Amino acid sequence: MAKKSAIEKNKKREKLVARYAAKREQLKAAAMDENLSLEERYKARLKLAELPRNSASNRVRNRCEVSGRPRGYYRKLKMSRIALRELGSNGQIPGLVKSSW
């Protein structure tokens, strides 16, 4: 079996988050609702725990889509500082000019 890259794992997590977002939100609301009985809130928490772990939004890591690097990530461009500099120097990012003084 081939080893998955971190980028592939992260994309799989993003898909799971999108798939289970509505159900997760509904169960969280039920678990926190003071108007429901204690048993109903407990059942909602158990159902929430049965969902896949990777369907939680905090499991998704901001990663560079070019290199997979998790650090130095620019959210607007979805890439790391290193990939940004490399592509910018090659003129592959429109509007980006490498400055030197």
Side-chain angles (χ1 to χ4, degrees):
M1 192 162 93
K3 193 172 184 179
K4 284 189 178 178
S5 74
I7 299 172
E8 289 175 23
K9 284 182 191 176
N10 214 39
K11 288 191 185 220
K12 183 181 174 187
R13 286 178 181 157
E14 287 172 358
K15 287 179 187 173
L16 279 172
V17 168
R19 181 175 166 191
Y20 288 99
K23 186 170 189 172
R24 188 171 275 281
E25 191 63 38
Q26 179 187 14
L27 289 171
K28 276 187 181 180
M32 301 299 274
D33 190 4
E34 296 287 328
N35 298 328
L36 295 177
S37 69
L38 202 58
E39 292 84 25
E40 289 174 320
R41 289 167 46 194
Y42 182 69
K43 284 180 184 176
R45 288 193 188 274
L46 287 178
K47 285 185 180 179
L48 192 61
E50 287 174 6
L51 294 178
R53 280 189 175 187
N54 285 336
S55 69
S57 62
N58 64 333
R59 301 271 294 199
V60 177
R61 183 84 159 109
N62 286 336
R63 280 191 183 275
C64 173
E65 298 210 343
V66 178
S67 65
R69 183 182 164 85
R71 311 282 170 136
Y73 178 81
Y74 288 94
R75 289 175 189 237
K76 264 188 175 177
L77 302 168
K78 293 189 174 186
M79 63 176 64
S80 70
R81 62 184 178 83
I82 296 169
L84 176 69
R85 186 178 176 110
E86 183 70 31
L87 294 175
S89 294
N90 294 339
Q92 294 177 326
I93 300 176
L96 187 75
V97 179
K98 184 179 175 289
S99 172
S100 62
W101 56 90

